[in-house]
Amino acid sequence: MNTRTPQEPRLVTLEIDGAVATITLNRPEKRNALSLRVIEQLRDCFAALPATVSVAILAGAGTHFSAGLDLSELSESTAAEGMQHSLAWYDAFSKIQFGRVPVIGVLQGAVVGGGLELASCLHVRVAEESAYFGLPEGQRGIFLGGGGSVRVSKLIGFSRVAEMMLTGHVVNAQEGHAIGLAHYVTPAGEGMRKARELAERIAGNAPLSNFAILNALPLIAEQPMSHGLMTEALMATVTQSAPEAKQRVAAFLEKRAAKVVSPD
Ligand code: 1HE
């Protein structure tokens, strides 16, 4: 469902090229600050992806991925309105993280506050050298409210999150890579090329494997060991029973499929 009215600016754009959708935060004049309308358009954009799309790339127009929460909207007068604001973000971000398609982020410049909360929903993060990560909520007198306490803490540990928030420590792309905020670092302007290369690989996987990676893996991480092992066994049984898995395994055994080779 797209709730955008015809005269409303397109704050999030969508381009589709075969199996790959490129979704772009399109508010560069405000450094892609996340207003509620941006969040809603993002949610609607992911919800409306056609079945032909099997992987998405999320990027930010301009020199910054996202400056986080649109601070001009920090006018909630009641606690209930503030709570609703967070719930709207959680709804959109859950749809991205636990959706049908894996999402690759291309990060440049500021990836801060809510921008980092958004990046932490993504399945693969490619940071250009210019990318930097910060949590300036402490300096602004607010708190994380887009799921970062949970998601960013799961990526880098709550102690690092606390330190970044307390001290205003800004993490550069290389450090972000070392601690798990980015999976790849590329030279300036190379992030999209890398993301497209990764998207082609992801689109080549069996859809059921991609589903299990997006939906079962995070669930297993939350479960006690005995439950996690059972969930894994169930998911393994379902994926390997699919005809596609049998064809892919046969292709390897008959030497028709690529080997796993050293990255060097
Ligand atoms: C904004 C925002 C914003 C820029 N909300 N309007 N996030 C922050 O604390 C980060 C605040 N932003 C910055 O530190 C800087 O803007 C940047 C480092 C990201 C970029 O700097 P620069 O020099 O390229 O741009 P600029 O001149 O600071 O900003 C350009 C315009 O965007 C300007 O508006 P203009 O009308 O004067 O042109 C800025 O006011 C506007 N702008 N960032 C609103 N964030 C769910 S809870 C999450 C909690 C958080 O995310 S807290 C972190 C908030």
Side-chain angles (χ1 to χ4, degrees):
M1 184 186 59
N2 191 343
T3 54
R4 198 171 59 85
T5 54
Q7 65 278 24
E8 190 180 359
R10 204 174 271 278
L11 302 169
V12 176
T13 63
L14 168 66
E15 274 176 64
I16 295 179
D17 180 10
V20 182
T22 302
I23 295 167
T24 306
L25 302 171
N26 186 33
R27 214 186 165 204
E29 72 287 358
K30 294 288 180 189
R31 307 311 183 246
N32 298 318
L34 300 170
S35 62
L36 205 47
R37 290 306 288 145
V38 173
I39 297 292
E40 287 167 352
Q41 288 190 23
L42 200 54
R43 176 201 63 198
D44 293 346
C45 197
F46 275 95
L49 287 180
T52 49
V53 165
S54 56
V55 56
I57 296 171
L58 179 66
T63 48
H64 299 279
F65 174 72
S66 173
L69 172 70
D70 186 326
L71 293 165
S72 71
E73 286 190 350
L74 258 193
S75 57
E76 294 101 13
S77 50
T78 67
E81 282 163 357
M83 179 65 82
Q84 288 307 321
H85 191 270
S86 277
L87 294 183
W89 283 50
Y90 298 161
D91 178 40
F93 287 7
S94 289
K95 286 192 167 72
I96 296 171
Q97 185 177 7
F98 305 114
R100 188 180 55 79
V101 303
V103 188
I104 303 166
V106 179
L107 311 176
Q108 81 284 12
V111 185
V112 302
L116 179 50
E117 294 182 293
L118 171 58
S120 70
C121 302
L122 310 180
H123 306 100
V124 179
R125 287 173 297 281
V126 177
E128 295 194 349
E129 274 165 356
S130 66
Y132 59 92
F133 306 92
L135 292 171
E137 281 81 353
Q139 294 152 61
R140 306 281 176 245
I142 55 177
F143 190 62
L144 292 158
S149 312
V150 178
R151 290 194 181 91
V152 184
S153 292
K154 281 186 193 291
L155 294 182
I156 63 173
F158 81 89
S159 174
R160 281 199 171 98
V161 171
E163 189 274 335
M164 286 171 72
M165 291 183 74
L166 286 169
T167 67
H169 175 182
V170 174
V171 169
N172 68 23
Q174 293 298 346
E175 191 188 352
H177 180 249
I179 65 176
L181 289 174
H183 298 99
Y184 298 88
V185 179
T186 73
E190 287 290 306
M192 186 54 80
R193 193 195 53 74
K194 182 70 186 175
R196 290 204 178 108
E197 174 198 318
L198 297 170
E200 292 301 325
R201 283 198 235 161
I202 292 171
N205 293 341
L208 200 50
S209 295
N210 282 349
F211 168 83
I213 294 162
L214 263 55
N215 288 279
L217 207 54
L219 189 67
I220 291 166
E222 308 262 294
Q223 291 178 326
M225 189 170 182
S226 58
H227 296 205
L229 293 175
M230 179 55 80
T231 307
E232 181 190 89
L234 291 170
M235 207 64 246
T237 308
V238 171
T239 52
Q240 74 203 24
S241 307
E244 184 166 359
K246 305 226 178 289
Q247 288 159 15
R248 285 170 178 252
V249 172
F252 175 77
L253 295 174
E254 291 159 14
K255 309 209 180 300
R256 290 183 285 109
K259 293 184 185 184
V260 179
V261 293
S262 160
D264 305 321

